Amino acid sequence: MACRSGCCCGFGPFNEDNARFLMLAVFIVLYLFCGAAVFSALEQPMEEEAKERWVQRFEQFSLKYNLSKKELDNFLRNYEEANVAGIRVDTIRPRWDFTGAFYFVGTVVSTIGFGMTTPATNGGKIFLIFYGLIGCAATILFFNLFLERVITVIALVLKSCHERRHLHKAVLPQNGGRRFYEGGGGGSRGEGLAGWKPSVYCVMLILGAAAILVSCCASAMYSAVEGWGYLDSLYYCFVAFSTIGFGDMVSSQRSAYGEGNENQTAYRLGNFLFILTGVCCIYSLFNVISIVIKQVLNWLLRSLERPCCCPGRVAHHPHHRQPRRNVVVPGHLRARRDLSIETDTVNESEADGRRMSGEMISMRDFLAANKVNLAIMQKQLSEMANGHPRQSGTSSRHNGFSEGVGALGIMNNRLAETSVDR
């Protein structure tokens, strides 16, 4: 019995992305269950203790001032409504003056959304929908451009260090004084470093160190100005920089700081710069970590794949392609092919190219087939001349990454473990 495509040959090249997606979905669900179990064990006892304390205080207050529980409940509900509008027990700065509104729109477009300020009018809510739609899209584009430039700078620095290290330790006397360069494949140093790209793990380490440095500096500032503990400040930095934005701790909300307006202005400026830099660093770090997670998924997929054991069928291996018998295929067979110049490859069926050695083809078929090959060659030469050679479709599947757009596309083009020409 013939073996159906993808039923016994592992995951195969066509449903490999679906398998990776399914594995990631299962991982996220298990991760959520584990996180829920840990937080429930850590936080639930504290919640129960706080609830018991509140019940005792409520009853004591009601008895002390001779208030009915119903009246006291109504008063607390009124305070909750005022709290939503921005009224607090402590004196805070105005929420909807220009500086407060600027802080609010900054949390909107950066997708932090602390929740300490929300629009209460219908006009404000409608305007927020359109304002956030454009602002969030533009900010995500800014984060991607920031990521691209950060990766480029890191790659240039690492490549310079790699070349310098090559110069110091790669030149060794061999075979009577002859010199060779390590890692050059027997060629010159320039040939060995022509396609060099930085490791994704090294980039992840650098971005992690930068994020930690920014968070530590920002935590020192928040701890000194806001009066928070240093651990609480680190917690706030992660929540804010990762755009989670719980809203339990929000910086720059007091009505006055320090000894004058100059100190208050300097603090608000520093707060803005730290949040902007921290969000960019954490966003870049998250994307690099996502690449590492995808590599782990690819490794799991390769370990789960098994060779095809169906009789009369050769197991498909993604790194090996069957050579074509003929460059030119007759017209009745060529009609069953899918010629695609965009992918720079020709998708053939199993019967393609299998003609008898003495079979003749027409001149029209010969010219048509070579016209396609000429168009492919012209496209490849044009891309190489512009400095952006395109990789073949099969090589992009070797590491399980598509070229993509956005952050994944940036990583694929600039890092060694994700590039198709690795």
Side-chain angles (χ1 to χ4, degrees), residues 46-114:
M46 179 72 69
E47 181 187 12
E48 293 176 353
E49 292 179 3
K51 187 176 182 180
E52 292 177 359
R53 288 196 304 268
W54 169 250
V55 171
Q56 293 176 0
R57 292 175 182 176
F58 185 85
E59 292 179 353
Q60 291 175 1
F61 187 85
S62 153
L63 294 174
K64 182 178 179 180
Y65 294 98
N66 195 20
L67 296 174
S68 65
K69 293 183 179 180
K70 184 176 181 180
E71 293 177 352
L72 190 54
D73 284 336
N74 291 332
F75 177 78
L76 292 176
R77 288 192 182 94
N78 292 332
Y79 176 73
E80 288 179 354
E81 294 178 358
N83 195 8
V84 172
I87 307 300
R88 302 291 189 273
V89 176
D90 298 328
T91 304
I92 58 175
R93 74 178 191 184
R95 293 298 178 89
W96 292 109
D97 60 353
F98 183 79
T99 56
F102 185 83
Y103 194 86
F104 166 73
V105 296
T107 61
V108 170
V109 300
S110 61
T111 68
I112 296 177
F114 285 122

Coordinates of all heavy atoms in Angstrom, one line a residue, residues 46-114:
M46 N -1.9 35.0 51.9 CA -1.8 36.4 52.2 C -3.2 37.1 51.9 O -3.7 37.9 52.7 CB -0.8 37.1 51.3 CG -0.7 38.6 51.5 SD 0.1 39.1 53.0 CE 1.8 38.5 52.8
E47 N -3.9 36.6 50.9 CA -5.2 37.1 50.6 C -6.2 36.8 51.7 O -7.0 37.6 52.1 CB -5.7 36.6 49.2 CG -7.1 37.1 48.8 CD -7.6 36.4 47.6 OE1 -7.0 35.3 47.2 OE2 -8.6 36.8 47.0
E48 N -6.2 35.6 52.2 CA -7.1 35.2 53.2 C -6.8 36.0 54.5 O -7.7 36.4 55.2 CB -7.0 33.7 53.5 CG -7.5 32.8 52.3 CD -7.2 31.4 52.5 OE1 -6.6 31.0 53.6 OE2 -7.7 30.6 51.7
E49 N -5.5 36.2 54.8 CA -5.2 37.0 56.0 C -5.7 38.4 55.9 O -6.2 39.0 56.8 CB -3.7 37.0 56.3 CG -3.2 35.6 56.7 CD -1.7 35.6 56.9 OE1 -1.1 36.7 56.7 OE2 -1.1 34.6 57.1
A50 N -5.5 39.0 54.7 CA -6.0 40.4 54.5 C -7.5 40.5 54.6 O -8.0 41.4 55.1 CB -5.5 40.9 53.1
K51 N -8.2 39.5 54.1 CA -9.6 39.5 54.2 C -10.1 39.4 55.6 O -11.1 40.1 56.0 CB -10.2 38.3 53.3 CG -11.7 38.3 53.2 CD -12.1 37.2 52.3 CE -13.6 37.2 52.1 NZ -14.1 36.1 51.2
E52 N -9.5 38.5 56.4 CA -9.8 38.4 57.8 C -9.6 39.7 58.6 O -10.4 40.2 59.4 CB -9.1 37.3 58.5 CG -9.5 35.9 58.0 CD -8.6 34.8 58.6 OE1 -7.7 35.2 59.4 OE2 -8.9 33.6 58.3
R53 N -8.4 40.4 58.3 CA -8.2 41.7 58.9 C -9.2 42.7 58.6 O -9.6 43.5 59.4 CB -6.7 42.1 58.6 CG -5.6 41.4 59.2 CD -4.3 42.1 59.1 NE -4.0 42.4 57.7 CZ -3.2 41.7 57.0 NH1 -2.7 40.5 57.4 NH2 -2.9 42.0 55.7
W54 N -9.6 42.7 57.3 CA -10.6 43.7 56.9 C -11.9 43.5 57.5 O -12.6 44.5 57.9 CB -10.7 43.7 55.3 CG -11.9 44.5 54.8 CD1 -13.0 44.1 54.3 CD2 -12.0 45.9 54.9 NE1 -13.9 45.1 54.0 CE2 -13.3 46.3 54.3 CE3 -11.2 47.0 55.4 CZ2 -13.7 47.6 54.2 CZ3 -11.6 48.3 55.3 CH2 -12.9 48.6 54.7
V55 N -12.3 42.3 57.7 CA -13.6 42.0 58.3 C -13.6 42.5 59.8 O -14.6 43.1 60.3 CB -13.9 40.5 58.2 CG1 -15.1 40.1 59.1 CG2 -14.2 40.1 56.8
Q56 N -12.5 42.2 60.5 CA -12.4 42.7 61.8 C -12.4 44.2 61.9 O -13.1 44.8 62.8 CB -11.1 42.1 62.5 CG -11.1 40.6 62.6 CD -9.8 40.1 63.1 OE1 -8.9 40.8 63.4 NE2 -9.7 38.8 63.3
R57 N -11.7 44.9 61.1 CA -11.6 46.3 61.1 C -13.0 46.9 60.8 O -13.4 47.9 61.3 CB -10.6 46.9 60.2 CG -9.1 46.6 60.6 CD -8.2 47.0 59.5 NE -6.8 46.7 59.9 CZ -5.7 46.9 59.2 NH1 -5.9 47.4 57.9 NH2 -4.5 46.6 59.6
F58 N -13.7 46.3 59.8 CA -15.0 46.8 59.4 C -16.0 46.7 60.6 O -16.7 47.6 60.8 CB -15.5 46.0 58.2 CG -16.8 46.4 57.6 CD1 -16.8 47.4 56.7 CD2 -18.0 45.8 58.0 CE1 -18.0 47.9 56.2 CE2 -19.2 46.3 57.5 CZ -19.2 47.3 56.6
E59 N -16.0 45.6 61.3 CA -16.9 45.4 62.4 C -16.5 46.4 63.5 O -17.4 47.0 64.2 CB -16.8 44.0 62.9 CG -17.5 43.0 61.9 CD -17.4 41.6 62.3 OE1 -16.8 41.3 63.4 OE2 -18.0 40.7 61.7
Q60 N -15.2 46.5 63.8 CA -14.8 47.4 64.9 C -15.2 48.9 64.6 O -15.7 49.6 65.5 CB -13.3 47.3 65.1 CG -12.9 46.0 65.7 CD -11.4 45.8 65.8 OE1 -10.6 46.8 65.4 NE2 -10.9 44.7 66.3
F61 N -15.0 49.3 63.3 CA -15.3 50.7 63.0 C -16.8 50.9 63.0 O -17.3 51.9 63.5 CB -14.8 50.9 61.5 CG -15.0 52.4 61.1 CD1 -14.0 53.3 61.4 CD2 -16.1 52.8 60.4 CE1 -14.2 54.6 61.0 CE2 -16.3 54.1 60.0 CZ -15.3 55.0 60.3
S62 N -17.6 49.9 62.6 CA -19.1 50.0 62.7 C -19.6 50.1 64.1 O -20.5 50.9 64.4 CB -19.6 48.8 61.9 OG -20.9 48.5 62.4
L63 N -19.0 49.3 65.0 CA -19.4 49.4 66.4 C -18.9 50.7 67.1 O -19.6 51.3 67.9 CB -18.9 48.2 67.2 CG -19.5 46.8 66.7 CD1 -18.7 45.7 67.4 CD2 -21.0 46.8 67.0
K64 N -17.7 51.1 66.8 CA -17.2 52.3 67.4 C -18.0 53.5 67.1 O -18.2 54.4 68.0 CB -15.7 52.5 67.0 CG -15.0 53.6 67.7 CD -13.6 53.7 67.2 CE -12.9 54.9 67.9 NZ -11.4 55.0 67.5
Y65 N -18.4 53.7 65.9 CA -19.1 54.9 65.5 C -20.6 54.7 65.3 O -21.3 55.6 64.7 CB -18.5 55.5 64.2 CG -17.1 56.0 64.3 CD1 -16.0 55.1 64.0 CD2 -16.8 57.2 64.9 CE1 -14.7 55.6 64.1 CE2 -15.5 57.6 65.1 CZ -14.4 56.8 64.7 OH -13.1 57.2 64.9
N66 N -21.1 53.6 65.7 CA -22.5 53.2 65.7 C -23.1 53.4 64.3 O -24.1 54.1 64.1 CB -23.2 54.1 66.7 CG -24.6 53.6 67.0 OD1 -24.9 52.4 66.7 ND2 -25.5 54.4 67.5
L67 N -22.4 52.8 63.3 CA -22.9 52.9 61.9 C -23.4 51.5 61.5 O -22.8 50.4 61.9 CB -21.8 53.3 61.0 CG -21.2 54.7 61.2 CD1 -20.0 54.9 60.3 CD2 -22.3 55.7 60.9
S68 N -24.5 51.5 60.8 CA -24.9 50.2 60.2 C -24.0 49.7 59.1 O -23.4 50.5 58.4 CB -26.4 50.3 59.7 OG -26.4 51.2 58.6
K69 N -23.9 48.4 59.0 CA -23.1 47.9 57.9 C -23.6 48.3 56.5 O -22.8 48.5 55.6 CB -23.0 46.4 58.0 CG -22.3 45.9 59.3 CD -22.2 44.4 59.3 CE -21.5 43.9 60.6 NZ -21.4 42.4 60.6
K70 N -24.9 48.5 56.4 CA -25.4 48.9 55.1 C -25.0 50.3 54.7 O -24.5 50.5 53.5 CB -26.9 48.8 55.1 CG -27.6 49.1 53.7 CD -29.1 48.9 53.8 CE -29.7 49.2 52.4 NZ -31.2 49.0 52.5
E71 N -25.0 51.2 55.7 CA -24.6 52.6 55.4 C -23.1 52.6 55.1 O -22.6 53.4 54.2 CB -24.9 53.5 56.6 CG -26.4 53.7 56.8 CD -26.7 54.5 58.1 OE1 -25.7 54.8 58.8 OE2 -27.8 54.9 58.3
L72 N -22.3 51.9 55.8 CA -20.9 51.8 55.6 C -20.5 51.2 54.3 O -19.6 51.7 53.6 CB -20.2 51.1 56.8 CG -18.7 51.1 56.8 CD1 -18.2 52.6 56.9 CD2 -18.2 50.4 58.0
D73 N -21.2 50.2 53.9 CA -21.0 49.6 52.5 C -21.3 50.6 51.4 O -20.6 50.7 50.4 CB -21.9 48.4 52.4 CG -21.4 47.2 53.1 OD1 -20.2 47.1 53.4 OD2 -22.2 46.3 53.5
N74 N -22.4 51.4 51.6 CA -22.7 52.4 50.6 C -21.6 53.5 50.5 O -21.3 53.9 49.4 CB -24.1 53.0 50.9 CG -25.2 52.1 50.7 OD1 -25.1 51.1 49.9 ND2 -26.3 52.3 51.5
F75 N -21.1 53.8 51.6 CA -20.0 54.8 51.6 C -18.8 54.3 50.9 O -18.1 55.0 50.2 CB -19.7 55.2 53.1 CG -18.6 56.2 53.2 CD1 -18.8 57.6 52.9 CD2 -17.3 55.8 53.6 CE1 -17.7 58.5 53.0 CE2 -16.3 56.7 53.6 CZ -16.5 58.0 53.4
L76 N -18.4 53.1 51.2 CA -17.3 52.5 50.5 C -17.5 52.3 49.0 O -16.5 52.5 48.3 CB -17.0 51.1 51.2 CG -16.5 51.2 52.6 CD1 -16.3 49.8 53.2 CD2 -15.2 51.9 52.7
R77 N -18.7 52.0 48.6 CA -19.0 52.0 47.2 C -18.8 53.3 46.5 O -18.3 53.4 45.4 CB -20.4 51.4 46.9 CG -20.5 49.9 47.2 CD -21.8 49.4 46.7 NE -22.0 48.0 47.0 CZ -22.7 47.6 48.1 NH1 -23.2 48.5 48.9 NH2 -22.8 46.3 48.3
N78 N -19.2 54.4 47.2 CA -19.0 55.7 46.7 C -17.5 56.1 46.6 O -17.1 56.7 45.6 CB -19.7 56.8 47.6 CG -21.2 56.6 47.5 OD1 -21.8 56.2 46.5 ND2 -21.9 57.0 48.6
Y79 N -16.7 55.6 47.5 CA -15.3 55.9 47.4 C -14.7 55.1 46.3 O -13.8 55.5 45.6 CB -14.6 55.5 48.7 CG -13.1 55.6 48.6 CD1 -12.5 56.9 48.6 CD2 -12.3 54.5 48.6 CE1 -11.1 57.0 48.5 CE2 -10.9 54.6 48.4 CZ -10.3 55.9 48.4 OH -9.0 56.0 48.3
E80 N -15.2 53.9 46.0 CA -14.6 53.1 44.9 C -14.9 53.8 43.6 O -14.1 53.8 42.7 CB -15.3 51.7 44.9 CG -14.7 50.8 46.0 CD -15.4 49.4 46.0 OE1 -16.3 49.2 45.2 OE2 -15.0 48.6 46.8
E81 N -16.1 54.4 43.4 CA -16.4 55.2 42.2 C -15.4 56.4 42.1 O -15.0 56.7 41.0 CB -17.8 55.6 42.3 CG -18.8 54.5 42.2 CD -20.3 55.0 42.3 OE1 -20.4 56.2 42.4 OE2 -21.2 54.2 42.2
A82 N -15.2 57.0 43.2 CA -14.2 58.2 43.2 C -12.8 57.7 42.9 O -12.1 58.4 42.2 CB -14.3 58.9 44.5
N83 N -12.5 56.5 43.4 CA -11.2 56.0 43.1 C -10.9 55.7 41.6 O -9.9 55.9 41.1 CB -11.0 54.7 43.9 CG -9.5 54.3 44.0 OD1 -8.6 55.0 43.6 ND2 -9.3 53.1 44.6
V84 N -12.0 55.2 41.0 CA -11.9 55.0 39.5 C -11.6 56.3 38.8 O -10.9 56.4 37.8 CB -13.2 54.3 39.0 CG1 -13.2 54.2 37.5 CG2 -13.3 52.9 39.6
A85 N -12.2 57.4 39.3 CA -12.1 58.7 38.6 C -10.7 59.3 39.0 O -10.4 60.4 38.5 CB -13.2 59.6 39.1
G86 N -9.9 58.7 39.8 CA -8.6 59.2 40.2 C -8.5 59.9 41.5 O -7.5 60.5 41.8
I87 N -9.5 59.8 42.3 CA -9.5 60.4 43.7 C -8.8 59.4 44.6 O -9.3 58.2 44.7 CB -10.9 60.7 44.2 CG1 -11.6 61.6 43.1 CG2 -10.9 61.4 45.5 CD1 -10.8 62.9 42.8
R88 N -7.8 59.8 45.4 CA -7.1 58.9 46.3 C -7.1 59.6 47.7 O -7.4 60.8 47.8 CB -5.7 58.7 45.9 CG -5.6 58.0 44.5 CD -6.1 56.6 44.5 NE -5.7 55.9 43.3 CZ -6.4 55.9 42.2 NH1 -7.6 56.6 42.1 NH2 -6.1 55.3 41.1
V89 N -6.8 58.8 48.7 CA -6.7 59.4 50.1 C -5.5 60.3 50.1 O -5.6 61.4 50.7 CB -6.5 58.2 51.1 CG1 -6.3 58.8 52.5 CG2 -7.7 57.3 51.1
D90 N -4.3 59.9 49.6 CA -3.2 60.8 49.5 C -3.3 61.8 48.4 O -4.0 61.6 47.4 CB -1.9 59.9 49.3 CG -1.7 58.9 50.4 OD1 -2.0 59.3 51.6 OD2 -1.1 57.9 50.1
T91 N -2.7 62.9 48.6 CA -2.7 64.0 47.5 C -1.8 63.5 46.4 O -0.6 63.2 46.5 CB -2.2 65.3 48.1 OG1 -3.0 65.6 49.3 CG2 -2.3 66.4 47.1
I92 N -2.4 63.5 45.2 CA -1.7 63.2 44.0 C -1.8 64.3 43.0 O -2.7 65.2 43.1 CB -2.2 61.9 43.4 CG1 -3.7 62.0 43.1 CG2 -2.0 60.7 44.3 CD1 -4.3 60.8 42.4
R93 N -1.0 64.2 41.9 CA -1.1 65.3 40.9 C -2.3 65.1 40.1 O -2.9 64.0 40.0 CB 0.2 65.2 40.0 CG 0.1 64.1 39.1 CD 1.4 64.1 38.2 NE 1.2 63.1 37.1 CZ 2.2 62.9 36.2 NH1 3.3 63.5 36.3 NH2 2.0 62.0 35.2
P94 N -2.8 66.2 39.4 CA -4.0 66.1 38.6 C -3.7 65.1 37.4 O -2.7 65.0 36.8 CB -4.1 67.5 38.0 CG -3.4 68.4 39.0 CD -2.3 67.6 39.5
R95 N -4.8 64.3 37.2 CA -4.7 63.2 36.2 C -4.8 63.7 34.8 O -4.2 63.2 33.9 CB -5.7 62.2 36.5 CG -5.5 61.4 37.8 CD -4.2 60.6 37.7 NE -3.9 59.9 39.0 CZ -4.3 58.7 39.2 NH1 -5.0 58.1 38.4 NH2 -4.0 58.1 40.4
W96 N -5.6 64.8 34.5 CA -5.9 65.1 33.2 C -5.4 66.5 32.8 O -5.9 67.1 31.9 CB -7.4 65.0 32.9 CG -7.9 63.6 33.0 CD1 -8.6 63.0 33.9 CD2 -7.6 62.6 32.0 NE1 -8.9 61.7 33.6 CE2 -8.2 61.4 32.4 CE3 -6.9 62.6 30.8 CZ2 -8.1 60.2 31.7 CZ3 -6.8 61.4 30.1 CH2 -7.4 60.2 30.6
D97 N -4.4 67.1 33.5 CA -3.7 68.2 33.0 C -2.8 67.7 31.8 O -2.8 66.6 31.5 CB -3.0 69.0 34.1 CG -1.9 68.1 34.7 OD1 -1.8 66.9 34.4 OD2 -1.1 68.7 35.5
F98 N -2.1 68.7 31.2 CA -1.3 68.3 30.1 C -0.3 67.2 30.4 O -0.1 66.2 29.6 CB -0.6 69.5 29.4 CG 0.1 69.2 28.2 CD1 -0.6 69.0 27.0 CD2 1.5 69.0 28.2 CE1 0.1 68.7 25.8 CE2 2.2 68.7 27.0 CZ 1.5 68.5 25.8
T99 N 0.5 67.4 31.5 CA 1.5 66.4 31.9 C 0.9 65.1 32.2 O 1.4 64.0 31.9 CB 2.4 66.9 33.0 OG1 1.5 67.3 34.1 CG2 3.1 68.2 32.6
G100 N -0.2 65.1 32.9 CA -0.9 63.8 33.3 C -1.4 63.1 32.1 O -1.3 61.9 31.9
A101 N -2.0 63.9 31.1 CA -2.5 63.3 29.9 C -1.4 62.8 29.0 O -1.6 61.7 28.4 CB -3.4 64.4 29.1
F102 N -0.3 63.5 29.0 CA 0.9 63.0 28.2 C 1.4 61.7 28.8 O 1.8 60.8 28.1 CB 2.0 64.1 28.3 CG 3.2 63.7 27.4 CD1 3.2 64.0 26.0 CD2 4.3 63.1 27.9 CE1 4.2 63.7 25.2 CE2 5.4 62.8 27.2 CZ 5.4 63.1 25.8
Y103 N 1.4 61.6 30.1 CA 1.8 60.3 30.7 C 0.9 59.2 30.4 O 1.2 58.1 30.1 CB 1.9 60.5 32.3 CG 2.6 59.4 33.0 CD1 4.0 59.4 33.2 CD2 1.9 58.3 33.6 CE1 4.6 58.4 33.9 CE2 2.5 57.3 34.2 CZ 3.9 57.4 34.4 OH 4.5 56.4 35.1
F104 N -0.4 59.5 30.3 CA -1.5 58.5 30.0 C -1.3 58.0 28.6 O -1.3 56.8 28.3 CB -2.8 59.2 30.2 CG -3.9 58.4 29.6 CD1 -4.4 57.2 30.1 CD2 -4.6 58.8 28.4 CE1 -5.4 56.4 29.6 CE2 -5.6 58.1 27.8 CZ -6.0 56.9 28.4
V105 N -1.2 59.0 27.6 CA -1.0 58.5 26.2 C 0.3 57.8 26.0 O 0.3 56.9 25.1 CB -1.1 59.7 25.2 CG1 -2.5 60.3 25.3 CG2 -0.1 60.7 25.5
G106 N 1.3 58.1 26.8 CA 2.5 57.3 26.7 C 2.3 55.9 27.1 O 2.9 54.9 26.5
T107 N 1.5 55.6 28.2 CA 1.2 54.3 28.6 C 0.3 53.6 27.6 O 0.3 52.3 27.5 CB 0.6 54.3 30.0 OG1 -0.7 55.0 29.9 CG2 1.5 54.9 31.0
V108 N -0.5 54.3 26.8 CA -1.4 53.7 25.8 C -0.6 53.2 24.6 O -0.7 52.0 24.3 CB -2.4 54.7 25.4 CG1 -3.2 54.2 24.2 CG2 -3.4 55.0 26.5
V109 N 0.2 54.1 24.0 CA 0.9 53.7 22.8 C 2.0 52.7 23.1 O 2.4 51.9 22.2 CB 1.5 54.9 22.1 CG1 0.4 55.9 21.7 CG2 2.5 55.6 22.9
S110 N 2.6 52.7 24.3 CA 3.6 51.7 24.6 C 3.0 50.4 25.1 O 3.7 49.4 25.4 CB 4.5 52.2 25.7 OG 3.8 52.5 26.9
T111 N 1.6 50.3 25.1 CA 0.9 49.1 25.6 C 1.1 48.7 27.0 O 0.9 47.6 27.4 CB 1.1 47.9 24.6 OG1 2.5 47.4 24.8 CG2 0.9 48.3 23.2
I112 N 1.7 49.7 27.8 CA 1.9 49.4 29.3 C 0.5 49.3 30.0 O 0.2 48.4 30.6 CB 2.8 50.4 29.9 CG1 4.2 50.3 29.3 CG2 2.9 50.1 31.4 CD1 5.1 51.4 29.8
G113 N -0.3 50.4 29.8 CA -1.6 50.4 30.4 C -1.7 50.2 31.9 O -2.2 49.2 32.4
F114 N -1.1 51.1 32.7 CA -1.1 50.9 34.1 C -2.5 50.8 34.7 O -2.8 50.1 35.6 CB -0.3 52.1 34.8 CG 1.1 52.0 34.7 CD1 1.9 53.0 34.1 CD2 1.8 50.9 35.1 CE1 3.2 53.0 34.0 CE2 3.2 50.8 35.0 CZ 3.9 51.9 34.4

